[in-house]
Structure formats: structure tokens, C-alpha cells
Amino acid sequence: MLNPTLLLVLHGTRSPRGTAIAHSLALRVAEVTHRPTRLAFADVTHPNVTEVAAQTPGPLVVVPAFLASGYHVRTDIPDQLLQAGRTDAVITPALGDHPALPATALRRLTQAGYQRGDALILACAGTSDPHAQAELDQAAQRLSQRTGGPVHLAYAATSTPTVADRVAELRAAGHRRVSVATWLLAPGLFHDRLKESGADVVAAPLCPDRAVAHAVADRYLRAAVPQPAHP
């Protein structure tokens, strides 16, 4: 049986650096899996999912590189696959609840200068999808478990409070230092907004980090290779 092609899907960005990181992630995933790997974007830029899926023969496993299962994961990507005639494609869960992701967020935060005792914000893209919102709440809880302190959610777009508003709120409550953990995969407009929030520390996006490539590979392998049944 042919090894399924891994179709890695990211949101898409107009940032040249963000696009370069997307291509870099796809290359790293291919190095980890040793399987055919293609890259597509759900929005903003090309090639989109329909274009790549239609041109990819054989079995297809689609890994949405999103940190929550919002509109793109639950509706847009399946619709684009349908437009390509790829009703046979297997779509894995999004990446957000993979254990490698909060570990990477904390590592990025520490590298940026986070100190124990800082008021801590988890900055997300934002969503209007209740299911995705619940996943973001869980991401904040997992980061809180790792840091041993409260983690406050804030958003770069779509939802409120904004990161800047949350920073101001925490300073008004008496916190001398405020740090922002970044729940974004790549640089671009959203991350630029975090850097303008007034926080003392703003972590870099999760990519490039080899752990993210391993998380994508894990999603793919669990879908492509039958898992043994537990007694």
C-alpha cells in the first residue's frame, strides 16, 4: 500500500517571513516522517487546499496546523477538500492539544525573559467558535499547570479582551511585570500586535521549533498507521 501523502495546512499570511517559516516547517516534517509532504494554505495565500489536494494522487492525510479547531479546521478545510473531489482524505485533529505545543510555548516564553512571578497572558488569534474557545481555555489551563500560576487569555483579533487591554488591566491591578506567551505558530500581523501591547516580555511564535514538526508527524502517523487495539 502506498504511504499516504501528508498535506500540511496552515492559515496563510502576507508576511514573507511567516510564509518562509511555513515552508521550513513542511521541510522539517518531511525529514521527520520520511514520507511525501505537501504544503497548502487555508486562506490569504496560495496554493490553497483545493489546488494541492486535486494535484496529489493516492491516499492523503491532512494535518491542520492550527492551535484550535475553529472555522478553518471544522468547515473550510473539509469544504476545500470536497471541491477537490477528495472525499477520501483523512483529516487529523488540530495541533493545539498536542503536549508538545504548551511545552514549546513555555520554552519560547523563558527564552524571551519570562520570570516566575510575572503576570502571564496567553495570546491567541481569537475565535468566534465555541468549540475552539473551549480549546483555548484548555491551553491556558495547561500552561498554568506548567508555570504554577494563573494564565490570562487575551486575543490578537476577533475576540476580546485584546492583549493590550489585558496588559493594562494587569498593570492597574498592581503587577509590576507582565509577560505574554504566544499561542501563534508564525510571525505576521497578529504577532506584531503582541509586540505593541506594552508587555515587558513577548515570546516568539512557536515556529520554527523542531517540536512542532514532531507534533505534526505524530498526528500524521496516528492517522496513517493503524493503532493497536488496547485489551
Side-chain angles (χ1 to χ4, degrees), residues 5-13 22-23 25-26 29 37-45 47-53 56 60-68 71-74 76-78 80-81 89-95 185 207 212 216 219:
T5 296
L6 191 165
L7 177 53
L8 175 65
V9 183
L10 283 86
H11 182 277
T13 175
H23 285 277
L25 176 60
V29 167
T37 302
R38 303 288 302 276
L39 174 66
F41 299 98
D43 199 1
V44 180
T45 190
N48 64 27
V49 176
T50 299
E51 292 164 345
V52 177
T56 303
L60 190 63
V61 172
V62 180
V63 182
F66 288 77
L67 299 180
Y71 168 78
H72 287 300
V73 174
R74 294 162 66 84
D76 191 22
I77 291 172
Q80 290 193 46
L81 288 168
V90 176
I91 306 174
T92 77
L95 291 183
L185 282 176
C207 288
V212 179
V216 172
R219 288 285 194 249

Side-chain angles (χ1 to χ4, degrees), residues 14 18 34 43 73 86 93 99 120 129 157 164 168 172 176 197 207 227:
R14 293 183 179 86
H34 303 288
D43 199 1
V73 174
R86 295 306 306 260
L120 183 55
D129 184 295
R176 186 177 64 85
S197 67
C207 288
Q227 301 298 303

Side-chain angles (χ1 to χ4, degrees), residues 102-113:
T104 303
L106 181 56
R107 184 164 57 252
R108 285 281 195 251
L109 185 63
T110 302
Q111 291 167 346

